[in-house]
């Protein structure tokens, strides 16, 4: 792949630059202004143990159904609201900070890292598929299904609920030690040191995301230059690499609506190679396993596609746009 990309850059520089520019603009206009503040503020909340007040109302529910700690509830909430790869970043940060156990982090990774609702509702359903009436069904397939599957997956991580209390006590002890060691420093020095650290961490993460987006945008541009035997296969190859371009290509093809919808649904749930690379980048140093994440995404995608296909067959009047 590296040799192919180098050859593409050298032999077809105009297309390569177009792909790079598209990735850069996607990062600069959409990802940077949305995710950078979340990266900085969420890391700051984790550092100062300020998550509990935000999750107090949801924690009893998430603990009963999924066995999550308050910190885990925070990762679940932001993962569903902010989109790729926010859920993975929060889970990785919490494990690295010792706020949750690796077992809970691996469990969260199975279902808390999803596409953002704004992207799903605005770009996918309204702009591309022209089917905003399918919002409730699509939300159920994209967000409700992972939550349901997580109930069954919980038994494979049965020990993390017991170790959460141990981890919490350890974190409290560490926090008390940190407070004792920092008594001689002024409050402003401590605060600004934490803020500076969180800003640098956020900048490193967002720049890493930008590089992944640019690389995969170039790969997607390369995929469009290959003479595929079928236009749908070509569009799927692009979507496997980068979902935004893949969704746009699929929706431009003269396909039946069920085929377009199912293809877009698969792209959205899997996240594409770019989403996977971004997720892996957010997990560096956490010890969380991306292999389990991939397996969970495949299971979720196959289940969602089967359910959607059944709905198109049994209830076409509900699924087909008017």
């Amino acid at each position: 792949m590296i040799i192919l990309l180098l050859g593409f850059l050298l032999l077809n520089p105009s297309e390569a630059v177009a792909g790079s520019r598209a990735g850069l603009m996607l990062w600069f206009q959409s990802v940077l202004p949305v995710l950078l503040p979340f990266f900085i503020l969420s890391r700051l909340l984790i550092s100062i143990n300020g998550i509990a007040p935000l999750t107090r109302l949801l924690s009893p529910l998430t603990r009963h159904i999924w066995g999550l700690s308050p910190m885990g509830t925070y990762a679940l909430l932001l993962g569903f609201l902010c989109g790729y790869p926010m859920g993975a970043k929060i889970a990785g940060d919490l494990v690295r900070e010792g706020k949750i156990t690796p077992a809970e982090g691996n469990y969260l990774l199975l279902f808390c890292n999803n596409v953002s609702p704004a992207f799903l509702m605005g770009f996918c359903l309204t702009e591309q598929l022209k089917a905003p009436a399918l919002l409730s069904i699509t939300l159920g397939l994209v967000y409700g299904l992972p939550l349901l599957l997580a109930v069954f997956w919980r038994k494979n991580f049965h020990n993390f609920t017991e170790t959460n209390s141990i981890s919490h006590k350890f974190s409290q002890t560490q926090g008390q030690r940190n407070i004792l060691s920092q008594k001689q420093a002024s409050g402003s020095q401590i605060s600004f040191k934490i803020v500076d650290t969180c800003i640098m961490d956020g900048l490193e993460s967002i720049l890493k995301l930008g590089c992944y987006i640019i690389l995969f945008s170039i790969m997607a541009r390369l995929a469009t230059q290959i003479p595929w035997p079928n236009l749908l296969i070509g569009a799927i190859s692009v979507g496997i690499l980068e979902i935004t371009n893949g969704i746009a290509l699929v929706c431009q093809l003269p396909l039946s609506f069920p085929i377009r919808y199912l293809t877009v649904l698969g792209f959205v749930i899997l996240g594409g190679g770019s989403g996977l690379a971004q997720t892996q980048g957010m997990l560096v140093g956490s010890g969380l396993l991306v292999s389990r994440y991939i397996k969970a995404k495949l299971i979720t995608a196959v289940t969602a596609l089967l359910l959607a296909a059944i709905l198109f067959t049994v209830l076409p009047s509900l699924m087909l746009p008017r």
Side-chain angles (χ1 to χ4, degrees):
M1 180 58 72
I2 294 172
I3 292 173
L4 284 174
L5 284 176
L6 286 173
F8 183 54
L9 290 169
L10 292 172
L11 299 176
N12 203 342
S14 60
E15 290 293 331
V17 169
S20 179
R21 183 182 293 113
L24 178 61
M25 296 309 297
L26 174 64
W27 173 78
F28 182 73
Q29 294 178 343
S30 301
V31 178
L32 177 65
V34 173
L35 287 188
L36 181 58
F38 278 105
F39 280 0
I40 296 172
L41 294 175
S42 64
R43 183 61 186 272
L44 187 59
L45 278 174
I46 293 171
S47 299
I48 64 174
N49 293 319
I51 293 174
L54 298 178
T55 60
R56 188 172 289 121
L57 293 177
L58 288 176
S59 288
L61 178 66
T62 58
R63 183 170 184 81
H64 178 71
I65 299 176
W66 298 284
L68 297 178
S69 65
M71 296 287 185
T73 302
Y74 177 70
L76 176 66
L77 182 63
L78 260 66
F80 272 75
L81 292 178
C82 301
Y84 297 116
M86 196 66 185
K89 175 170 173 54
I90 299 298
D93 285 344
L94 289 171
V95 172
R96 284 186 288 263
E97 293 277 343
K99 307 296 185 181
I100 63 174
T101 63
E104 185 177 7
N106 277 312
Y107 176 63
L108 278 166
L109 199 59
L110 302 181
F111 62 101
C112 79
N113 197 46
N114 301 288
V115 70
S116 71
F119 178 82
L120 180 64
M121 292 184 288
F123 180 75
C124 298
L125 286 176
T126 304
E127 183 178 337
Q128 296 298 323
L129 287 171
K130 307 289 192 298
L134 295 181
L135 175 61
S136 58
I137 294 174
T138 307
L139 289 176
L141 292 171
V142 175
Y143 302 117
L145 183 59
L147 291 173
L148 179 61
L149 290 173
V151 175
F152 298 97
W153 290 333
R154 179 182 172 182
K155 65 181 180 180
N156 296 323
F157 298 86
H158 59 88
N159 61 333
F160 78 83
T161 51
E162 288 109 17
T163 53
N164 274 337
S165 60
I166 299 173
S167 175
H168 179 65
K169 291 178 182 178
F170 176 77
S171 298
Q172 285 183 326
T173 304
Q174 289 295 104
Q176 292 170 356
R177 290 176 181 173
N178 290 337
I179 292 172
L180 290 173
S181 64
Q182 293 169 352
K183 276 186 175 179
Q184 295 180 347
S186 68
S188 61
Q189 287 175 331
I190 295 171
S191 300
F192 281 109
K193 185 176 180 181
I194 293 174
V195 172
D196 287 346
T197 301
C198 294
I199 289 175
M200 293 306 298
D201 178 76
L203 289 173
E204 180 183 352
S205 298
I206 205 71
L207 287 173
K208 188 185 297 183
L209 255 64
C211 292
Y212 280 127
I213 291 172
I214 290 171
L215 284 174
F216 277 89
S217 292
I218 295 173
M219 285 190 239
R221 197 78 177 192
L222 172 60
T224 61
Q225 306 302 307
I226 298 175
W228 299 100
N230 183 285
L231 292 176
L232 179 58
I233 295 175
I236 289 175
S237 69
V238 173
I240 290 174
L241 293 169
E242 203 282 313
I243 63 173
T244 306
N245 293 319
I247 290 170
L249 282 176
V250 166
C251 292
Q252 291 172 6
L253 298 178
L255 303 169
S256 64
F257 180 78
I259 297 297
R260 288 203 305 270
Y261 181 86
L262 290 173
T263 307
V264 170
L265 181 64
F267 290 163
V268 164
I269 293 177
L270 291 174
S274 179
L276 176 59
Q278 294 170 38
T279 299
Q280 173 66 53
M282 297 299 103
L283 300 179
V284 173
S286 68
L288 300 184
L289 301 176
V290 75
S291 57
R292 289 177 175 173
Y293 168 80
I294 296 172
K295 183 179 179 181
K297 281 295 182 184
L298 289 173
I299 293 173
T300 304
V302 170
T303 307
L305 291 175
L306 288 174
L307 290 174
I310 292 172
L311 287 174
F312 273 114
T313 304
V314 177
L315 299 170
S317 59
L318 178 65
M319 296 296 292
L320 294 174
R322 296 176 179 85

